Amino acid sequence: MHILDSLPLLRDANRSWIFSLIRAKGSICRADLARQTGLHPSTISRIVSSLMEEGLVRENGEGPNARGRKPIMLSVVKEAIHVVGIAVESTFISAILVNLEAEVIEKLEIKLCDQTMETATKEIYTVIDDLLKRAEDRAVVIYGIGLAMHGIIDNDEGICLFAPARRAEEVPVAKAISEHYQLPVRMDNNANAMALGERWFGNGKGIDNLLAIKVGQSIGSGVILRGQLFSGSHYSAGEIGHVNVLSDGPLCTCGNYGCLESVASIEAVVSKGRLRMKRGEDRELLALTGNDPDALNFEILRNAAELGNSLALHLLSEVGTHLGLALANTMNILDPTAVLIGGEILPVIDLVLPKMREIVTARSFRILKNKVVIEKVGLGQDAVAVGAATLIFEDLFQP
Ligand SMILES: [Zn+2]
């Protein structure tokens, strides 16, 4: 089901254009709408009136005008449209209900007991049921559901083509959910969704060439070029996790050796920490695990780093080195304006970014040095779920 099927009012191209322009500008008068679209002022007036009647647009006071009558400004009603955004992560699902400005109205998280596609699918329906119920209690109408998950996703048809961690291939996830709820459903890879959400609502606002890297149990990136999400010819663009950073490195889930993901994912870092404690390298960190190296997890590692533990800090610095190497190569190819880092790494990102920036400066093409902003995402841990919701906004505002 397409988004416009649930929003018949926007089916008309001019109407949709006007609505998109008002949203993009934040506040604009009828005369400027006519100037910017080339449509006749009477057409603008008629469309604006109908958008106001439907509660999608409102008048928002007078705007500035040096001479003559001050124009009445228009803005969209952010409470008029709500969508659901779902981030399916490796160990949990995060689901939110947001309005047109991506303000989170409701949020819930559910743990996944395993990584199978069956469990993920079952819990996706659980969170949607819950959010639709909450939306009903609030008397808000849901216009669509956006879904983000790991793997290679056919974002045109909403098919999970390949998700190695869930051992899933060719699963038409979006179609099944859309038919079940009779709502438009859009689906994409989680890093792609994060990039899109950041461009609309986060630290990537207004940036046309943007790279967003998601570092968690796996590593991926979303690429936005000239304002559009770039998925590649086979929906697999942005797989920065499988860029080689160590020629004789460990075996990766993809079958290659020394991929970024095999040395810098959360799991890889914790594994390295366990190994080095078993070699007797750090008594202090060992004490924090109750003298059991295998008890080390990301939370203990993070606490240790915050306490200044040298092994924990060294391991995070190595993450910065490897991310920096992969990023320098990627930047040389894409020449982005900004690079945003998000995902489960966020709580320790300030301990990773300095080394990462240092390596990028040392390794990237000279003309890029110190010109590319490398920062954390602006939407924090909600970045992927907001990005998933943004998949629906993309349909709505760029039909
Ligand atoms: Zn790999």
Side-chain angles (χ1 to χ4, degrees), residues 55 189 198 232 265 351:
N189 166 276
E198 283 295 311
S265 70
L351 300 170

Side-chain angles (χ1 to χ4, degrees), residues 241-242 252-254 256 259:
H242 302 285
C252 179
T253 50
C254 72
N256 278 332
C259 295

Side-chain angles (χ1 to χ4, degrees), residues 62-82:
E62 291 179 336
N65 191 359
R67 295 169 294 174
R69 208 165 56 143
K70 288 192 166 75
I72 305 288
M73 304 305 282
L74 303 162
S75 57
V76 297
V77 178
K78 67 181 180 185
E79 300 85 6
I81 292 173
H82 288 81

